[in-house]
Amino acid sequence: MKKLFTCVLLVALCLTAQGQQPNEKLRQLEGYLRQQGYNIKHTQSNSRGKEGVRHTYQAFIAENTFAPSFVEAPSEEVRQMVLSKHDSINAQRMKKLGQAIDSIRITFALLGKQASESYMYEYHKEDVDTIKYSLAFRQDDDTLLATRIKNNVYFSNAREVASFDYQKSYNTNNKGYSMLGSYVHWCDEPNGITYDEMKPFDIAAFETLIQPALKPVKKLKGVKTYPVYWRHDKGFNDETVNGNLSHKTTRNSMYGDNSHTGLTTGTYYFIPAQYEKEANDLYKQLDSLTLDYITRHPEQPYEYDFTKRIPVLNPGDLLHGVSYEDSDEYFLKWTRDDAGFHILLLTSKGELWMPRDWRKLKSYINGKLIYRSEK
């Protein structure tokens, strides 16, 4: 498989990347990593204050060879059988990891010939590995501004950048090796709209678009919807309630004549765990509707974030309608836990403070928690 992929890359990379779409060869690499089971996280945003959309693709590679722990093995034979199975699984994982790293190495080496600037650093000694790659394509004829910190290189004015950072080290406590890799690729794509030409995110229009997708799910037995009301007023000391918050954003706002006030309202949807298929289908449908909406409305500032897997425990933003000229902000959040799936459609005036017990709350007002009385 590795040889086949190498040949495909050699042929494909003979072509010169043109235009300002994300580099086709890097996208092919990301497709290969996805096929090998690595999650590729895709985000895009047009809210950076300059013309265009920034696409970002990220993959995290994490493996280890930690020895299995035994509380009490019934016999030495069982213990050896478990160790043998563990070694077999480790060998398969290490093979997949090696193929992924080789594919990344080939891509960066060959694209380095086309890039405006490229850096490749590797250090190997015994069983310790360090890899740091980076490459950049400049914007038109601009001179790239690069900063080098030890063996890392950062670009501040490129059109497109890709980097890979990998470290393998021995963990004494777990008696095995830890391998951590981070791949990041971003590209700025012009859309012809300047920041001054943008308009506030249209919350009403977006929610009207997605309501038909939510309607069938609300009819499932056990699915519940609750109103959201989280408020912190002028003069409320936020330092006293940090233990009650799971998330807090800070931004300048004119709401309530105070830069740290906020009112968040909306709807919370709970889908029991038994409806996993329906929840995953809804997640994909809402993603499709979201991507369609932001594509048709490039004048509205947003941050879009999609992974194939619904975030676990902590809510993640599928969509963030970013404030423009102090307009309201909008959040479409998803998460899952043992109980089921949770969707939050939130409108926030000022700062968003998310209470730690948001799943159970009727309201949060200046640190006072009022819980729902479930029947």
Side-chain angles (χ1 to χ4, degrees):
M1 180 64 193
K2 182 167 64 176
K3 291 182 179 179
L4 175 60
F5 181 68
T6 301
C7 291
V8 171
L9 278 173
L10 287 170
V11 172
L13 287 164
C14 289
L15 302 175
T16 302
Q18 299 291 337
Q20 298 203 8
Q21 298 289 327
N23 186 279
E24 181 183 353
K25 315 318 168 192
L26 290 170
R27 297 295 291 127
Q28 290 175 357
L29 170 63
E30 291 147 15
Y32 173 77
L33 293 175
R34 184 180 289 109
Q35 291 175 2
Q36 299 308 302
Y38 295 104
N39 187 35
I40 303 294
K41 181 179 180 181
H42 171 214
T43 64
Q44 66 181 64
S45 173
N46 68 344
S47 64
R48 298 173 54 251
K50 62 184 291 187
E51 184 176 355
V53 177
R54 171 160 292 187
H55 296 267
T56 304
Y57 306 90
Q58 294 176 281
F60 295 97
I61 298 173
E63 298 287 0
N64 67 73
T65 60
F66 298 162
S69 59
F70 294 92
V71 177
E72 183 178 349
S75 68
E76 181 61 22
E77 181 181 4
V78 171
R79 182 175 181 278
Q80 291 300 325
M81 182 177 67
V82 172
L83 287 173
S84 177
K85 182 67 174 177
H86 175 78
D87 290 343
S88 176
I89 294 174
N90 265 348
Q92 294 175 9
R93 290 163 55 201
M94 293 305 100
K95 180 180 180 181
K96 185 181 81 167
L97 175 68
Q99 291 175 341
I101 292 175
D102 282 347
S103 301
I104 293 170
R105 180 181 289 113
I106 292 167
T107 303
F108 275 78
L110 293 175
L111 272 180
K113 300 175 183 178
Q114 301 176 10
S116 304
E117 288 189 31
S118 65
Y119 296 82
M120 296 187 71
Y121 170 85
E122 294 198 35
Y123 172 79
H124 307 279
K125 183 177 181 181
E126 297 177 348
D127 290 321
V128 175
D129 298 326
T130 299
I131 300 174
K132 295 181 182 295
Y133 301 151
S134 59
L135 57 84
F137 296 89
R138 64 186 179 184
Q139 185 73 262
D140 300 322
D141 293 329
D142 290 350
T143 301
L144 279 178
L145 301 178
T147 302
R148 186 162 187 164
I149 302 176
K150 294 184 178 180
N151 291 307
N152 290 306
V153 181
Y154 305 94
F155 301 95
S156 58
N157 66 332
R159 170 178 58 82
E160 185 166 17
V161 170
S163 64
F164 179 62
D165 195 334
Y166 173 81
Q167 185 75 42
K168 176 185 175 183
S169 58
Y170 187 76
N171 187 302
T172 305
N173 293 332
N174 293 297
K175 298 179 181 179
Y177 290 93
S178 173
M179 289 142 283
L180 296 173
S182 173
Y183 167 88
V184 180
H185 164 213
W186 60 259
C187 174
D188 288 336
E189 178 186 359
N191 62 3
I193 298 176
T194 66
Y195 186 77
D196 291 339
E197 295 171 332
M198 300 184 78
K199 300 178 181 179
F201 188 83
D202 194 333
I203 297 172
F206 179 76
E207 289 210 333
T208 298
L209 175 69
I210 66 174
Q211 281 305 316
L214 292 164
K215 189 174 181 180
V217 175
K218 290 190 287 186
K219 296 179 180 178
L220 298 174
K221 185 177 180 180
V223 171
K224 297 180 180 180
T225 62
Y226 304 103
V228 171
Y229 191 88
W230 309 330
R231 194 181 90 212
H232 49 284
D233 296 325
K234 180 178 179 179
F236 177 60
N237 185 1
D238 60 336
E239 296 301 323
T240 65
V241 298
N242 282 340
N244 289 331
L245 301 177
S246 68
H247 174 76
K248 180 171 74 171
T249 62
T250 301
R251 73 179 182 90
N252 293 326
S253 170
M254 296 302 294
Y255 175 73
D257 299 321
N258 183 284
S259 63
H260 298 293
T261 58
L263 172 63
T264 299
T265 58
T267 306
Y268 160 37
Y269 294 82
F270 170 70
I271 304 173
Q274 68 194 72
Y275 299 116
E276 181 173 7
K277 181 183 183 304
E278 290 82 355
N280 284 321
D281 288 345
L282 176 61
Y283 181 61
K284 294 175 183 177
Q285 189 175 4
L286 289 180
D287 168 66
S288 178
L289 290 169
T290 297
L291 190 55
D292 174 69
Y293 183 84
I294 60 178
T295 301
R296 290 187 292 106
H297 295 282
E299 78 286 356
Q300 298 179 21
Y302 67 85
E303 293 175 356
Y304 161 82
D305 188 339
F306 178 70
T307 61
K308 293 181 67 175
R309 306 182 184 95
I310 297 173
V312 178
L313 298 181
N314 295 318
D317 294 342
L318 176 60
L319 173 68
H320 174 195
V322 178
S323 176
Y324 179 78
E325 299 294 330
D326 206 41
S327 64
D328 293 350
E329 292 193 277
Y330 182 76
F331 299 87
L332 169 52
K333 294 177 176 286
W334 272 84
T335 188
R336 66 176 300 174
D337 54 25
D338 291 340
F341 302 84
H342 311 266
I343 311 170
L344 290 162
L345 308 182
L346 306 175
T347 297
S348 182
K349 299 176 182 291
E351 294 184 356
L352 168 63
W353 292 9
M354 192 167 186
R356 189 174 303 280
D357 283 347
W358 59 268
R359 293 171 177 83
K360 306 174 184 177
L361 291 180
K362 182 177 181 180
S363 67
Y364 169 96
I365 303 174
N366 296 330
K368 183 179 180 180
L369 309 177
I370 300 178
Y371 290 84
R372 293 191 303 269
S373 56
E374 298 287 356
K375 298 181 179 178

